[in-house]
Amino acid sequence: MRVLSGIQPTSRPHWGNYFGAIAQYIELQHHEQAFYFIADLHALTTIRNAEQLREYSRDAALDLLALGLDPAQATLFLQSDVPEITELTWLLMTVTQMSLLEKCHAYKDKKAKGLAADAGLFTYPVLMAADILLYDSDIVPVGADQIQHIEVTRDIAQRFNSIYETEALTLPTGKTLDATAKVPGTDGEKMSKSYDNAIGVFEAPKRMRKKIMSIKTDSKTVEEPKDPDNCAIYALYQLFADKDQQAELADRYRAGGMGYGDAKQALYESAVEYFAPARERREELAADPATVQDILRDGAIAARRKGQEVLDRVRSACGLVARVGTD
Ligand code: ADP
Ligand code: TRP
C-alpha cells in the first residue's frame, strides 16, 4: 500500500497542524510505503512572492524532517522537482468536466465572494489529482476539507479509464485524518493560521510564552474550583503531558486554589519540553543545507522513477506515441 500526501508551504506549522496532520503522517511512515511532498506548485495559487515561496519551501522541508519524518522510511520531495506532474495534469485536464471543477469549494467560495479566480485556482483539483495518480497512490490521508478533492480525483481517474478502456490509473481512497482532538487556539476556537489564535511549533519560547499567557479563560478567582474539561489551557496541556501529569493538573483544577496563570505556566513548560528535541534537530539541519538538498534530491529521484512508469502507461493508453528519447 502506498500512502501519499502533500503539504502546502504557505505558513509555518502551528500546534493544530502538528497534532491534526503532521504527527499522523509521521506515524504512518512506519506502517506503509509513504510519499510526502511539499506542494509548491499549489502554493503558487496563493503566494506571489518568489523569495517567500523559496523560504517557505525550505522551511517546510526542515520542519517535517525535524519533527520526525525519516527519509529512510518515507520519500520526501518537492512537487516541482517532478516535472511529470504537469504533463499528467494536462492529460487529466482533457477528460475533466468543467462542471466537476465548478463544484470545488476553493473556486466556489471565491466566486461566491465576487472575487475573480484565475485558471490556476480553478484547475487546482486537477493538479492535485495528478499528484495522487502519478504514483499509483492507494491511501491519501488529508484533512476533512480535502476529501472533496479525493472524490474529484477518483472521478477523473474513472473517466479516463472508462474513455480509454484501460486500468492505467489506480483509484485512491481518502483517509480523513483523526480530528477528534481539534486543537483549540488562544481564543478557545479551533486553532488556525487565519484566526490569529495560533501557536507555532517552532515559535521562540519567549513568544510562545506570551501567547500561552494570553489564552482566554473565564473569570474564576484563584480560590474557586475550576473545570478542566471546559478549558483551552487544559485541552492543550493534554497534547503534551503524560496521563499522570494530566490527572495531577486536573485535580488541581477541581480542588480550587490554583489560578489559570499556574496552569498556563505548566502548559508552557510541557510544550517547550515536548518540542525541544525537534527544535534542536531543526537547528542542526538548518546548519547543514547540503544534507537537506540530498534528501530532497533522493526523494525526487524515487518519485520520478515511479511517476515515469505510470505516465508511460497513461501516455500509451491515450495514444501518445512512445517518446523518442531526447534526453
Ligand atoms: P489552517 O486552519 O491553519 O489554515 P490548514 O487548513 O492549512 O490549517 O491545515 C492543514 C492541516 O492541519 C489540516 O489538514 C488539518 O488536518 C490540520 N489542522 C489545522 N488546524 C487544526 C486544528 N486546530 N486542530 C486539528 N487539526 C488541525
Ligand atoms: N491541497 C492540499 C491542501 O491544501 C495539499 C495537496 C496538494 C495534497 N496535493 C495533494 C494533499 C495531494 C494530498 C494529496 O492541504
Side-chain angles (χ1 to χ4, degrees), residues 1-4 28-29 31-35 73-75 306:
M1 285 290 204
R2 179 173 292 106
V3 169
L4 168 133
L28 279 167
Q29 75 185 351
H31 308 291
E32 310 285 352
Q33 189 189 5
F35 271 33
Q73 303 274 348
T75 300
K306 178 66 199 170

Side-chain angles (χ1 to χ4, degrees), residues 24-32 34 36 68-70 73-74:
Q24 296 180 47
Y25 295 147
I26 288 167
E27 171 58 25
L28 279 167
Q29 75 185 351
H30 301 297
H31 308 291
E32 310 285 352
Y36 295 128
L69 197 142
D70 177 2
Q73 303 274 348

